[in-house]
Amino acid sequence: MNAFQRNESKETLFAFISAGDDPPKGDFPVQKKSPKLCGSNYPLSIAFIVVNEFCERFSYYGMRAVLTLYFLSFFHWDENLSTAVYHAFSALCYFTPVVGAIMADSWLGKYKTIIYLSIVYVVGHLIKSVGAIPSLGNQTVHVILSMVGLFLIALGTGGIKPCVSAFGGDQFEEEHTSERSKFFSIFYLSINAGSLISTFVTPVLRGDVKCFGEDCYALAFGVPAALMVLALGE
């Protein structure tokens, strides 16, 4: 079949719909457009996505900034064990995006994956913060709570990683390509801003604020937990 015959076959295929006819309503549902941000072409939902990502990155990097010191001074582990556990946690955070991608593509979709794993993320932060309270049980209890919290944090932060940026891009209509490009610039700016600010703030909370007669790791982990709760609320 030559090119002309192919074009002709396409014209025959679609000839039953004339130019002036309306398409059947049942086959072509009308999609409602999402609310716009301040009269622009930016969907309102992207403001929440950007704030959510800022809080999430603040939460993760803020907790990680004092994690090795927590192992050394709170658990009194040696440097080798502290470094090994820290890097094992970091490696797990970079493996779990595979789990999040499978969940989003094959099971729940991006939105539900983000919501459910964010809840896991929040629970992990809360358990991690409770495990840093010195008066709560002995060291074995602290270690168990901290390891469970770190595992849930790794599952949460990695699981939502492949979904959030793609979900933000899905909010834009096809014709708004320039707005979509600017969104990704703002999106990654919020990631870097949250990471940068948290690495300065949480060490100050740990060292300059005293609680239970020593460095306040519960507060240093609690503030990132609160930011993650705010991110989930967004």
Side-chain angles (χ1 to χ4, degrees):
M1 183 182 292
N2 57 34
F4 175 76
Q5 289 175 323
R6 287 197 298 268
N7 292 335
E8 185 179 18
S9 64
K10 291 179 181 179
E11 291 176 3
T12 305
L13 179 63
F14 295 101
F16 68 94
I17 299 179
S18 63
D21 291 339
D22 294 329
K25 294 182 179 180
D27 296 336
F28 299 90
V30 178
Q31 296 182 350
K32 295 182 179 180
K33 294 185 177 181
S34 59
K36 302 299 181 182
L37 185 63
C38 299
S40 65
N41 291 325
Y42 294 91
L44 181 61
S45 56
I46 67 165
F48 298 100
I49 293 173
V50 170
V51 174
N52 177 286
E53 191 64 16
F54 173 87
C55 295
E56 190 275 325
R57 289 291 87 184
F58 186 104
S59 173
Y60 172 73
Y61 281 100
M63 179 276 303
R64 206 177 74 165
V66 297
L67 188 58
T68 303
L69 289 175
Y70 177 66
F71 294 151
L72 290 170
S73 62
F74 193 84
F75 290 162
H76 303 291
W77 288 350
D78 58 35
E79 292 184 0
N80 292 332
L81 179 58
S82 300
T83 303
V85 174
Y86 175 83
H87 286 293
F89 167 71
S90 298
L92 185 60
C93 291
Y94 285 102
F95 173 76
T96 50
V98 178
V99 178
I102 294 173
M103 290 178 61
D105 291 341
S106 304
W107 183 23
L108 296 174
K110 289 189 284 291
Y111 178 74
K112 288 184 178 180
T113 300
I114 293 171
I115 293 298
Y116 294 158
L117 290 183
S118 292
I119 294 174
V120 173
Y121 200 168
V122 168
V123 172
H125 268 296
L126 294 176
I127 293 175
K128 186 73 177 65
S129 302
V130 171
I133 300 175
S135 59
L136 184 66
N138 55 24
Q139 184 172 353
T140 302
V141 174
H142 296 151
V143 172
I144 292 174
L145 289 176
S146 296
M147 294 303 106
V148 171
L150 287 176
F151 175 79
L152 296 178
I153 290 171
L155 180 60
T157 187
I160 67 176
K161 190 183 294 294
C163 303
V164 178
S165 60
F167 182 70
D170 290 343
Q171 305 306 304
F172 291 87
E173 299 166 11
E174 291 297 327
E175 62 269 20
H176 299 149
T177 55
S178 62
E179 287 84 357
R180 185 187 292 116
S181 298
K182 293 178 181 177
F183 157 73
F184 283 113
S185 298
I186 298 172
F187 178 80
Y188 288 108
L189 175 63
S190 70
I191 290 176
N192 293 321
S195 306
L196 177 64
I197 295 172
S198 66
T199 54
F200 287 101
V201 172
T202 51
V204 172
L205 294 176
R206 178 201 67 85
D208 293 357
V209 179
K210 302 296 180 181
C211 58
F212 307 103
E214 54 187 77
D215 291 343
C216 197
Y217 285 99
L219 180 62
F221 294 141
V223 170
L227 266 292
M228 194 56 216
V229 172
L230 177 60
L232 179 60
E234 294 289 343

